[in-house]
Amino acid sequence: MSCSVGTAAGSRDGVAAARHLARWLGLAATPTFAIMAVATALSGSGAADTLCATGHGSVLGGMVPMYLLMSAFHSAAWLRLIAGGGGASL
């Protein structure tokens, strides 16, 4: 009987650790994509920008707008943190 109690406690610790890691990863995504957008913009047009461009006249073509959109889409964790909604819980 003590074996199952120990396993349940270990399982709860693993779940708590996974939730903690998920919170940090959620907070890390937005600034990471923002930094990638700035670095890509500063480096100029490269092969990746040419491959990912949807057209020369398109505003959303290229890697910089894609990184900015990804940063915006992943900002929910930061918005929860700023609003005081219990951190970046997922």
Side-chain angles (χ1 to χ4, degrees):
M1 183 140 190
S2 64
C3 185
S4 65
V5 172
T7 304
S11 176
R12 278 182 279 170
D13 289 343
V15 170
R19 285 186 180 153
H20 186 70
L21 179 62
R23 287 184 191 116
W24 279 106
L25 287 175
L27 288 171
T30 298
T32 300
F33 283 120
I35 290 168
M36 291 170 66
V38 170
T40 303
L42 292 177
S43 70
S45 182
D49 208 20
T50 304
L51 287 173
C52 294
T54 57
H56 295 291
S58 176
V59 176
L60 294 176
M63 295 300 290
V64 174
M66 188 269 304
Y67 287 138
L68 291 174
L69 285 171
M70 293 297 289
S71 181
F73 292 150
H74 286 87
S75 65
W78 282 98
L79 295 174
R80 278 192 296 272
L81 182 67
I82 292 167
S89 63
L90 298 173

